[in-house]
Amino acid sequence: MNPLTGKVQRSGTFDGYEVAGWRHSDHPSWNVKVWLAGCPRDWFGYTVTAGMFELKMFAHAQREAVLHAIGAWEAELVDPKVRNEPSTTRGATQYLRYVTLNDDR
């Protein structure tokens, strides 16, 4: 987190997609961009709050990549040791399970 702005920025990859995102530490929404790995010009932008996308998302693979990334980022923010683990799947899986159980779409 940038202590001057309170802004958290993260990036990562999942299943052939790259995801970059940011949020302010006092706000729950992530602003993310997602694109096929190696094609950064073809990005799609979304705002995601508690697993809910503000805009309808049609690409299931993009949705999974975004939710996986946010889950890993949130796990890292809660427990900084997660960043040093070989895999952040644990945090992402918990986040995806929460989203699945609370998905009213």
Side-chain angles (χ1 to χ4, degrees):
M1 177 175 64
N2 182 332
L4 298 175
T5 63
K7 190 175 186 179
V8 176
Q9 294 180 291
R10 297 287 186 269
S11 63
T13 60
F14 179 74
D15 202 24
Y17 285 92
E18 295 182 47
V19 184
W22 66 270
R23 75 173 177 91
H24 289 286
S25 60
D26 61 345
H27 198 273
S29 296
W30 282 93
N31 299 284
V32 297
K33 292 181 181 180
V34 59
W35 60 90
L36 280 171
C39 301
R41 290 185 180 180
D42 299 329
W43 61 268
F44 292 89
Y46 301 100
T47 300
V48 183
T49 307
M52 303 294 287
F53 289 77
E54 282 189 8
L55 299 175
K56 180 110 174 125
M57 178 179 259
F58 296 101
H60 180 73
Q62 281 185 359
R63 181 177 191 270
E64 292 299 312
V66 167
L67 293 177
H68 179 87
I70 291 174
W73 300 339
E74 290 290 343
E76 179 185 316
L77 291 173
V78 171
D79 183 2
K81 292 183 294 187
V82 170
R83 176 176 247 181
N84 297 324
E85 293 179 2
S87 171
T88 55
T89 303
R90 178 177 52 91
T93 303
Q94 291 170 348
Y95 185 78
L96 287 172
R97 186 175 304 125
Y98 169 81
V99 170
T100 302
L101 293 173
N102 296 291
D103 194 352
D104 61 354
R105 284 167 279 190

